[in-house]
Amino acid sequence: MNIFKSLLGKVWQDPNAAEVVKIEMGQLYLVRPGNIRSSRECIYNEAIATIRRVPALDHNFQLVITRVYEDGDQELLEDEDETDEERVFLISEELEFHSGVTDDEPTFIWRDLDGDVDELYEFVASGTNEPTRAFFETCMYRAMYERKFKASADNTKDSDLDQFIWQPVTEARGQTGDRKSPKNQQDFGDLPSDTVDDSTVQPRAMPNKIPSAAARPSFASSSLPTVTSQEGHIFSWNLEIEGFVAEREEVVVAKIVERTPGNFNYWLIVSDEDGDFVSDKISSDMNPRWAPKTSSLTWNYANGGRYDSWALQLASTEAYDAFKTAFAQCLWETLHRVEFRKAKPDEQAYVISSTTEDIEMHDVEDDGEDEEEVDKELDPDEEASEEEEEEEDDAVSPMPQGERNSQLTIGYKGDRSYVVRGNNIGVFSHSSDDQVKYYATISKISTPQGKEFKPQEVMLHDQDTKMVLKNPLDPHSLFSMDIERGKVVEEWKIHEDITVDHIAPENKFAQTTREQTLVGASHNALFRVDPRISGSKMVESQYKQYVSKNKFSGVATTASGKLAVASEKGDIRLFDTIGKNAKTALPPLGDPILGIDVTASGRWIVATTKTYLLLIDTLIGEGRYAGNLGFDRSFPANAKPMPRRLQLRSEHVAYMNHDINFSVARFNQGEGQEENAIVTATGQYVIAWDFAKVKKGHLDKYEIKKYEDMVVQDNFKFGDDKQIIVALQNNVLAINKKNLKRPTRNSLAAPMSSLHSRSGIVNSPY
């Protein structure tokens, strides 16, 4: 297969190329071997087959079959609510992809994961020559390799791809059975987050439903070590009736088993009297949410590119507590690869507390629902005005083509926003009608020596007259750009042995002042940068290197200059100043933290992981230093803060039908302004939490806006808690927070042709 090495180098190694390979002509059929009436149905008479990268998700690819319309066909479909223009399949081993020949034409065949167990899709690649067929097949196997191992397939050998070549199942004579299931359910590793309103777990009046047929895993869980076993009931979310439906009427047994002892490979199993019928590998991608009011666990399950929502209701409070504790410990062990009992007692308590949904926060008054919330209760389906929706379309930017927007930073002065696109920076103005208009482009960013580069991180500085840039090609320096001149005018050499991996302002509002210094961080050190000193710009007296391999991943500062530092390991450190040890060290839950933000006062921290936001109250509630913040004093060992997870509800993820990958979450900010919202994004969605309600314990009070393009980054306009600036991959616009909608089937859903209530978590051996 590596005879295509040269060609693969052209089409595979460009991460900006959405499409890897395409076959321009063919027909798509649905094959039902057991159906006498219609064993081979033509779905698309003319179609294109494409292998496409999944946006914003490395090492994941889709097989996309797109219908080609004949003249006049498109007009006939314009009045229909839903059109069947393309079918999308996440490429994994589960598809059992293979090639064949039909009527002397090459074909590609794969499983219909949403149909019956023996249904197949067949793409007849009419007129395709043998080298093209073989190249397309090789690309499919490379995509499977990258998804399974989450690594580039560039250096693979032919033998590395052999494991993905489908082999037909040989059945004993006289036996029938399901086609072989995936060998390793880790193919479904990229799962979205999940949170569910307690009320949705209650059984609801609904049509009769035939329970999913039980399937026997390749081996019984009864032969494996069991961590915990409890009785309960199992439900799955029905997309059409919008409620949880009982998968079994009778009581089931839910247990956690260790699939491979000593390897921290734990599985959630649900069994009835016929045997095991639900199995899912315990990982952070399940995004479990625990609801004490109904003693239930809800989670999402990735099923061949579709995302299902499940709920397990435990039989008693005692069973719920035991199962929740065991699950949290197993998840921690999976992430840390070490036994939970080896963690310190205070760290164990911190981890277990992160699963507790009942929330009590100090000094938060419950004033009842505010006027806006009452209005929404009275008119929950209220839509944004047509005028506001149309205004969003006016902000198309004539930025250079070929690249995509990658970063957004917002100025406080002159109503400006700046968007990085390759080695160019687009400048956008905020108009009087609260919209974003293209203003100018700062082209061909380059060093003072004239060497062009693509900024990796940018930060406004010195009353928005300068922008500090990180150059990925020179990690030991920072570059200062004069905003007015649109030119990099200085290189700040930091240290020949220390890289600058992250930067932050000296304090939260330093960009509004003439403050010259800023904060820098390497993977294991914090330091101050002062561009006014000669030679290396790192202040030697304000440098602190830490012995352990911290892998710092983000820095944020308070209004008084105290620092919150996060790491890829998932821990958070709070400093009162640079050059000293942390006052507080919060242990890692295990998920890498992608970025961090802090309120101006330092009271609240929001840390972003891939599938949830972690909210932490730094106020010390008891002990000698009660009333102080964790930046100034250490928390008592037995009274660390209780971290809270902000997640998307599992049923919302099912309608969105893609995995969750949050951008770095931010509080709204402005001098003298209290933070009352948190904004982030995932995929095509902008998401904002009502921070006032979150502090009262309502962790799922968020609203959503969907766009046609992928959202790169979003943040509030400086000094404004209503206007959100949104950078899409190819556009920049503004939206008022009131135009975000409550998540509903209508506001979230992908085309219903891709959504089905049948779940592959049933019939999936582990």
Side-chain angles (χ1 to χ4, degrees):
M1 295 177 187
N2 280 331
I3 60 173
F4 303 116
K5 187 173 182 180
S6 175
L7 184 56
L8 285 167
K10 296 178 181 178
V11 303
W12 196 273
Q13 295 177 3
D14 181 5
N16 295 318
E19 297 179 353
V20 176
V21 62
K22 179 185 293 185
I23 292 181
E24 296 283 356
M25 182 182 298
Q27 301 84 41
L28 179 66
Y29 294 87
L30 180 61
V31 181
R32 303 182 180 93
N35 191 319
I36 298 176
R37 179 180 59 85
S38 178
S39 62
R40 196 163 183 266
E41 176 188 353
C42 183
I43 305 299
Y44 299 154
N45 191 46
E46 293 185 37
I48 297 172
T50 308
I51 296 177
R52 188 167 68 191
R53 298 178 189 274
V54 176
L57 190 59
D58 292 341
H59 309 304
N60 281 262
F61 299 81
Q62 296 169 329
L63 171 61
V64 182
I65 310 298
T66 306
R67 179 179 179 180
V68 178
Y69 292 98
E70 297 179 0
D71 293 341
D73 285 354
Q74 185 67 57
E75 288 76 11
L76 295 175
L77 295 169
E78 286 180 349
D79 295 332
E80 296 185 16
D81 293 333
E82 295 181 7
T83 59
D84 187 15
E85 297 183 353
E86 69 176 21
R87 302 206 177 186
V88 180
F89 309 89
L90 184 67
I91 299 176
S92 69
E93 287 181 277
E94 187 192 15
L95 290 180
E96 298 179 3
F97 177 87
H98 56 285
S99 60
V101 177
T102 298
D103 296 331
D104 296 327
E105 294 283 5
T107 63
F108 300 113
I109 303 164
W110 63 95
R111 289 179 58 184
D112 176 13
L113 299 177
D114 295 333
D116 292 335
V117 292
D118 58 350
E119 290 183 357
L120 304 167
Y121 280 105
E122 181 183 33
F123 182 84
V124 180
S126 304
T128 299
N129 58 33
E130 176 58 23
T132 302
R133 181 209 62 77
F135 181 69
F136 192 90
E137 188 172 7
T138 299
C139 289
M140 285 290 295
Y141 296 145
R142 287 169 66 93
M144 294 180 195
Y145 178 96
E146 290 210 4
R147 176 168 172 80
K148 181 173 182 178
F149 297 106
K150 292 182 170 55
S152 172
D154 289 341
N155 297 319
T156 55
K157 303 176 182 177
D158 291 353
S159 57
D160 296 328
L161 303 182
D162 288 346
Q163 61 185 299
F164 303 107
I165 299 176
W166 178 80
Q167 300 295 333
V169 177
T170 302
E171 296 181 349
R173 180 174 297 178
Q175 289 184 344
T176 60
D178 298 343
R179 256 189 343 273
K180 85 179 174 79
S181 297
K183 295 178 181 179
N184 187 346
Q185 195 177 341
Q186 256 183 309
D187 278 346
F188 309 123
D190 301 302
L191 307 177
S193 69
D194 160 55
T195 352
V196 173
D197 189 353
D198 293 336
S199 63
T200 64
V201 183
Q202 301 290 358
R204 300 173 51 166
M206 55 193 65
N208 292 332
K209 176 182 182 293
I210 300 174
S212 302
R216 303 293 181 268
S218 56
F219 48 84
S221 65
S222 58
S223 64
L224 301 174
T226 299
V227 179
T228 186
S229 178
Q230 306 293 339
E231 291 186 342
H233 289 86
I234 188 74
F235 306 85
S236 64
W237 183 263
N238 187 296
L239 295 166
E240 295 169 356
I241 67 172
E242 301 186 64
F244 278 108
V245 179
E247 280 288 327
R248 296 290 189 273
E249 297 299 331
E250 67 274 10
V251 172
V252 298
V253 176
K255 53 188 174 182
I256 298 174
V257 300
E258 192 171 7
R259 170 68 180 85
T260 49
N263 196 34
F264 308 109
N265 183 9
Y266 297 102
W267 287 74
L268 169 62
I269 306 293
V270 179
S271 308
D272 62 7
E273 59 185 8
D274 295 322
D276 304 337
F277 69 96
V278 168
S279 59
D280 203 357
K281 181 176 171 61
I282 291 178
S283 71
S284 295
D285 288 329
M286 289 175 67
N287 284 286
R289 191 257 177 155
W290 301 91
K293 292 181 182 178
T294 53
S295 298
S296 62
L297 161 67
T298 53
W299 78 98
N300 286 109
Y301 174 81
N303 178 23
R306 188 181 72 247
Y307 293 86
D308 299 324
S309 173
W310 284 76
L312 172 66
Q313 189 171 37
L314 283 305
S316 66
T317 301
E318 293 74 19
Y320 169 81
D321 290 338
F323 202 85
K324 179 169 69 76
T325 300
F327 189 102
Q329 292 178 1
C330 291
L331 179 58
W332 188 91
E333 290 186 3
T334 298
L335 294 167
H336 290 266
R337 315 300 294 175
V338 67
E339 294 180 8
F340 187 72
R341 62 181 178 85
K342 294 184 179 179
K344 297 178 182 178
D346 60 314
E347 293 181 1
Q348 293 183 15
Y350 181 82
V351 171
I352 299 300
S353 72
S354 71
T355 66
T356 304
E357 291 299 321
D358 285 338
I359 189 167
E360 179 182 352
M361 300 188 181
H362 304 281
D363 303 330
V364 177
E365 298 180 2
D366 189 355
D367 297 326
E369 300 293 335
D370 57 23
E371 183 178 349
E372 179 183 356
E373 182 68 14
V374 173
D375 288 342
K376 291 181 178 179
E377 291 288 351
L378 293 175
D379 190 7
D381 296 324
E382 180 182 10
E383 301 291 333
S385 69
E386 293 182 6
E387 179 182 357
E388 289 169 322
E389 293 290 341
E390 290 173 358
E391 284 176 349
E392 293 173 15
D393 297 331
D394 294 339
V396 177
S397 63
M399 293 279 284
Q401 301 301 308
E403 297 280 357
R404 294 177 179 177
N405 298 336
S406 60
Q407 296 176 65
L408 166 71
T409 188
I410 297 174
Y412 90 97
K413 187 177 181 181
D415 285 332
R416 294 284 190 268
S417 290
Y418 302 85
V419 176
V420 178
R421 188 181 181 96
N423 65 341
N424 302 287
I425 296 177
V427 185
F428 296 83
S429 62
H430 307 159
S431 62
S432 58
D433 57 353
D434 289 330
Q435 293 302 306
V436 171
K437 305 291 184 183
Y438 171 76
Y439 181 77
T441 298
I442 301 174
S443 302
K444 298 182 178 180
I445 303 300
S446 59
T447 67
Q449 292 75 34
K451 188 174 182 179
E452 294 185 9
F453 67 93
K454 300 177 181 180
Q456 187 179 36
E457 186 175 346
V458 298
M459 186 184 78
L460 289 166
H461 188 58
D462 195 2
Q463 291 187 332
D464 288 2
T465 61
K466 300 175 183 176
M467 182 179 289
V468 181
L469 313 175
K470 274 177 77 285
N471 179 358
L473 303 177
D474 188 357
H476 299 276
S477 296
L478 294 172
F479 295 84
S480 175
M481 183 175 72
D482 186 310
I483 293 288
E484 292 299 322
R485 295 169 60 185
K487 182 179 180 180
V488 173
V489 294
E490 287 184 288
E491 176 181 355
W492 300 340
K493 293 186 179 295
I494 305 304
H495 197 284
E496 62 181 9
D497 298 321
I498 300 171
T499 60
V500 186
D501 298 334
H502 307 282
I503 54 176
E506 191 277 336
N507 65 74
K508 194 170 186 71
F509 304 115
Q511 77 176 89
T512 68
T513 72
R514 285 295 182 182
E515 175 63 46
Q516 296 298 303
T517 68
L518 60 145
V519 176
S522 68
H523 69 284
N524 69 339
L526 288 176
F527 47 87
R528 190 171 303 283
V529 175
D530 189 343
R532 297 168 298 187
I533 62 179
S534 60
S536 296
K537 306 301 181 182
M538 188 183 76
V539 181
E540 294 287 348
S541 62
Q542 295 189 58
Y543 165 78
K544 177 73 173 179
Q545 184 174 9
Y546 301 89
V547 176
S548 59
K549 297 178 181 179
N550 293 296
K551 297 183 178 180
F552 291 148
S553 59
V555 182
T557 51
T558 69
S560 59
K562 293 163 186 176
L563 302 97
V565 183
S567 81
E568 293 179 13
K569 296 190 297 183
D571 52 7
I572 297 173
R573 290 175 170 82
L574 308 182
F575 299 83
D576 63 345
T577 187
I578 295 177
K580 298 181 180 179
N581 289 330
K583 292 293 184 181
T584 295
L586 301 177
L589 299 183
D591 296 291
I593 294 177
L594 308 176
I596 192 168
D597 196 18
V598 62
T599 58
S601 67
R603 171 72 185 272
W604 300 95
I605 292 170
V606 61
T608 306
T609 73
K610 178 177 179 290
T611 52
Y612 62 88
L613 310 182
L614 199 63
L615 182 68
I616 297 171
D617 184 354
T618 70
L619 182 69
I620 300 174
E622 59 182 84
R624 179 181 176 186
Y625 300 116
N628 287 278
L629 299 182
F631 290 93
D632 304 307
R633 299 288 184 178
S634 297
F635 279 87
N638 61 347
K640 278 186 164 48
M642 297 178 68
R644 294 290 176 257
R645 298 178 190 238
L646 304 183
Q647 301 171 274
L648 301 184
R649 298 181 185 177
S650 63
E651 68 268 30
H652 296 162
V653 173
Y655 288 124
M656 293 163 70
N657 201 39
H658 72 75
D659 81 317
I660 301 302
N661 192 3
F662 283 127
S663 64
V664 176
R666 302 291 183 191
F667 294 103
N668 63 294
Q669 66 171 343
E671 288 189 281
Q673 182 184 89
E674 184 177 356
E675 296 85 354
N676 57 21
I678 300 171
V679 67
T680 182
T682 177
Q684 298 170 274
Y685 299 86
V686 169
I687 305 160
W689 267 267
D690 187 324
F691 188 40
K693 292 182 174 61
V694 167
K695 288 189 288 187
K696 295 174 185 176
H698 308 300
L699 304 187
D700 53 6
K701 292 297 182 183
Y702 58 83
E703 294 177 321
I704 284 181
K705 170 71 175 177
K706 182 180 180 181
Y707 290 95
E708 292 302 316
D709 199 1
M710 306 296 287
V711 180
V712 173
Q713 201 170 344
D714 55 356
N715 203 347
F716 284 96
K717 180 180 174 182
F718 191 92
D720 194 322
D721 62 353
K722 296 181 176 61
Q723 206 71 15
I724 302 173
I725 310 300
V726 181
L728 306 177
Q729 286 184 339
N730 294 290
N731 202 358
V732 183
L733 46 84
I735 183 173
N736 195 296
K737 187 158 66 76
K738 69 180 181 182
N739 281 7
L740 272 64
K741 302 174 184 178
R742 286 186 172 184
T744 64
R745 171 176 170 175
N746 292 334
S747 63
L748 292 174
M752 287 303 295
S753 59
S754 65
L755 302 177
H756 301 274
S757 60
R758 179 181 177 276
S759 178
I761 193 171
V762 179
N763 301 333
S764 286
Y766 47 89

